[in-house]
Amino acid sequence: MNFPCCLVWLPVNFVACQLFALFAAFWFRIYLSPGKTSPDVRHAFATVFGIYFVIFCFGWYSVHLFVLVLMCYGIMVTASVSSIHRYSFFVAMGYLTICHISRIYIFHYGILTTDFSGPLMIVTQKITTLAFQVHDGLGRRAEDLSAEQHRLAVKVKPSFLQYLSYLLNFMSVIAGPCNNFKDYIAFIEGRHTHMKLLEVNWKQRGFQSLPEPSPTGAVIRKLYITLVSLLLFLTLTKTFPVTCLVDDWFVHKANFLTRLCYLYIVMQASKPKYYFAWTLADAVNNAAGFGFSGVDKNGNFCWDLLSNLNIWKIETATSFKMYLENWNIQTATWLKRVCYERVPWYPTVLTFVLSALWHGVYPGYYFTFLTGTLVTVAARTMRNNYRHYFLSSKALKVAYDVVTWAVTQLAVSYTVAPFVMLAVEPTISLYKSMYFYLHIISLLIILFLPVKPHAHIQRQPQTLNSVNKKKKD
């Protein structure tokens, strides 16, 4: 059976680069702090380190990254602000897609060879994020922007050094995450933590001066999570590989309930590699002093501005929506900002399509995202029709949460299985052995339950113009 191996490995170059980046980040924060060096020096060092890491990991394949960055900077400089976001989006996504196709189907690199698409995917997110924010800042009226778009709008085109530093800095060039240009510039210039403290009205809490929050505690906690994730990867992932899902025992001999439980276990075992990579990337940024998000309700400093996942909320999610909101958070945010909030029709469908296209061209990705679209609509329909019946008492709410947790976890396992199986044949084999049960149930829900018409209306971001209109009314 033709079954491309899923990503059950951790490349040595990747781990070496990220560990070196961790030490470089501490050095960067201590010896190249904003009080000691100019922003240009910090930009230059962050860029040079990032370029070195990319070349070390990917050799001549890193040329693809540099070509895309230079092409899109040309667009940034020459294109009109009314079209800069469109040109940047189509060039970046087009180049990424061509690389996906050529890497897999033309040159047959597969996924166990040098995979330069990871950094290319991160850079694509940043290029399009910045292009849309420049368009918002220079090509749209302030009153037509949502509050978030207004806050993140970039009103001056970046210099070449700023552009390179934002896209290729060593903290995020290998594994991300995507971040906002204004946040990054504030970090480089030393305004990052103070800016976030001012946003939560720190002085109104009774404090007369702005502190300098240390990321050390957050870094240690995240490194502990990466260590646990690595241990789980070396045990669970090896014990329950995804190839088990096409074994003769699973497909032909196990009963349906056994398949259901085993699928859940195998999908759980596939998570630690993501927990490891994303948490380590978050720790690298924090070690450099980037990622401060403010103060929580208990007055504790938070360093989760760039966090890509919330493990507790993922494992306790009681809805498909809650699960997706806490998994690959920065990518979900990117999809919302460049697609979901901006397209006039079928936002959910188009967002899933963009997500699949961004991830690559393996057929399994499209099985997952098309199934995810169906399940998302069905889950939203069920929630809108029945959830309010279970809010009348605490016991009913607890029972509702337990049931929806189990349903959500099983639904996610079923939906994401093709994502790690990649190929068509094993995916069809798995779904046939599961009788396509979730597809059938989701279709029945959509066909026979009323869909609440207000969902799409709530999606539209509230603009400053609409806020001012309400105030006048």
Side-chain angles (χ1 to χ4, degrees):
M1 180 175 288
N2 181 20
F3 193 154
C5 180
C6 67
L7 185 58
V8 294
W9 59 295
L10 290 172
V12 175
N13 281 9
F14 167 81
V15 176
C17 268
Q18 288 299 82
L19 291 178
F20 186 76
L22 183 67
F23 290 108
F26 279 114
W27 177 85
F28 187 81
R29 181 168 62 88
I30 295 170
Y31 293 102
L32 291 182
S33 64
K36 296 178 180 179
T37 54
S38 68
D40 284 348
V41 172
R42 282 167 60 83
H43 277 305
F45 270 87
T47 304
V48 170
F49 283 169
I51 291 174
Y52 172 77
F53 288 166
V54 171
I55 294 174
F56 175 78
C57 273
F58 306 105
W60 75 268
Y61 296 110
S62 56
V63 169
H64 290 289
L65 203 65
F66 306 142
V67 167
L68 179 59
V69 169
L70 292 176
M71 284 196 304
C72 289
Y73 184 72
I75 294 172
M76 178 66 64
V77 172
T78 59
S80 66
V81 292
S82 61
S83 303
I84 196 170
H85 58 306
R86 296 191 189 94
Y87 294 153
S88 297
F89 180 86
F90 285 112
V91 168
M93 284 301 302
Y95 194 89
L96 176 63
T97 302
I98 290 170
C99 287
H100 277 317
I101 293 171
S102 63
R103 184 178 64 85
I104 297 167
Y105 294 113
I106 298 177
F107 297 105
H108 305 292
Y109 293 158
I111 113 180
L112 291 183
T113 53
T114 303
D115 183 2
F116 60 90
S117 63
L120 202 61
M121 292 161 70
I122 299 298
V123 164
T124 296
Q125 285 188 348
K126 290 186 177 182
I127 286 170
T128 52
T129 295
L130 177 55
F132 274 95
Q133 290 172 353
V134 169
H135 171 66
D136 290 341
L138 298 176
R140 298 176 65 190
R141 298 184 305 171
E143 57 267 27
D144 292 333
L145 303 176
S146 69
E148 184 182 61
Q149 289 169 350
H150 185 267
R151 178 177 64 84
L152 299 175
V154 177
K155 299 185 182 298
V156 178
K157 288 185 178 182
S159 68
F160 185 58
L161 179 59
Q162 289 175 329
Y163 195 80
L164 290 181
S165 177
Y166 173 62
L167 297 181
L168 301 177
N169 70 80
F170 74 94
M171 290 92 71
S172 61
V173 70
I174 299 297
C178 180
N179 51 72
N180 296 303
F181 180 76
K182 289 180 75 171
D183 286 333
Y184 180 73
I185 294 300
F187 154 68
I188 290 292
E189 295 178 354
R191 299 181 287 106
H192 174 60
T193 55
H194 288 179
M195 185 176 70
K196 295 299 178 183
L197 287 170
L198 290 173
E199 286 179 4
V200 296
N201 297 319
W202 178 259
K203 290 186 178 181
Q204 291 184 15
R205 293 169 176 247
F207 299 92
Q208 297 303 315
S209 60
L210 294 174
E212 291 290 343
S214 171
T216 304
V219 173
I220 292 173
R221 178 177 60 82
K222 290 172 184 178
L223 289 179
Y224 172 75
I225 294 173
T226 62
L227 179 60
V228 173
S229 300
L230 182 60
L231 293 175
L232 291 174
F233 168 78
L234 295 174
T235 54
L236 281 180
T237 308
K238 303 295 184 181
T239 306
F240 300 100
V242 70
T243 49
C244 295
L245 301 179
V246 292
D247 285 349
D248 183 69
W249 168 82
F250 181 88
V251 175
H252 300 293
K253 297 177 182 178
N255 60 49
F256 179 75
L257 288 178
T258 301
R259 291 172 189 157
L260 208 61
C261 294
Y262 202 73
L263 174 62
Y264 171 72
I265 293 171
V266 170
M267 290 300 101
Q268 286 292 101
S270 70
K271 292 179 183 178
K273 60 180 175 288
Y274 298 104
Y275 291 172
F276 172 87
W278 288 339
T279 307
L280 180 56
D282 194 10
V284 169
N285 280 275
N286 290 170
F290 190 25
F292 181 71
S293 58
V295 184
D296 65 17
K297 61 183 180 181
N298 297 318
N300 300 314
F301 296 130
C302 299
W303 288 85
D304 58 0
L305 180 71
L306 306 177
S307 296
N308 232 341
L309 75 169
N310 186 316
I311 297 176
W312 174 254
K313 289 185 177 180
I314 288 170
E315 301 300 342
T316 60
T318 56
S319 70
F320 209 73
K321 179 176 180 290
M322 181 179 174
Y323 194 104
L324 294 179
E325 286 177 346
N326 291 283
W327 175 269
N328 206 352
I329 296 170
Q330 304 306 325
T331 294
T333 301
W334 170 71
L335 289 167
K336 182 188 77 170
R337 288 174 179 165
V338 305
C339 183
Y340 189 81
E341 290 181 344
R342 298 180 189 264
V343 296
W345 306 288
Y346 307 111
T348 300
V349 175
L350 291 176
T351 300
F352 273 113
V353 170
L354 174 59
S355 183
L357 191 64
W358 175 79
H359 277 90
V361 291
Y362 281 112
Y365 296 159
Y366 296 86
F367 274 102
T368 285
F369 289 112
L370 290 175
T371 302
T373 304
L374 191 68
V375 174
T376 298
V377 174
R380 182 185 299 157
T381 303
M382 283 289 291
R383 181 181 178 85
N384 290 341
N385 279 278
Y386 293 109
R387 184 175 183 271
H388 58 278
Y389 292 119
F390 295 89
L391 302 179
S392 57
S393 72
K394 187 175 181 180
L396 281 176
K397 181 62 168 59
V398 170
Y400 175 84
D401 287 342
V402 171
V403 172
T404 51
W405 171 83
V407 170
T408 297
Q409 300 300 321
L410 293 177
V412 169
S413 300
Y414 179 96
T415 302
V416 303
F419 191 93
V420 294
M421 299 175 81
L422 301 178
V424 174
E425 189 178 352
T427 296
I428 296 298
S429 174
L430 171 67
Y431 280 163
K432 282 176 66 177
S433 71
M434 306 293 290
Y435 311 112
F436 292 91
Y437 84 95
L438 192 59
H439 289 89
I440 294 171
I441 292 173
S442 298
L443 282 171
L444 291 175
I445 290 172
I446 294 170
L447 289 174
F448 293 103
L449 287 180
V451 178
K452 301 295 183 181
H454 64 276
H456 178 77
I457 297 173
Q458 289 181 337
R459 172 190 73 88
Q460 301 295 339
Q462 192 177 51
T463 65
L464 298 179
N465 193 38
S466 64
V467 171
N468 292 336
K469 187 176 180 181
K470 285 183 179 179
K471 287 180 179 178
K472 290 179 181 179
D473 292 343

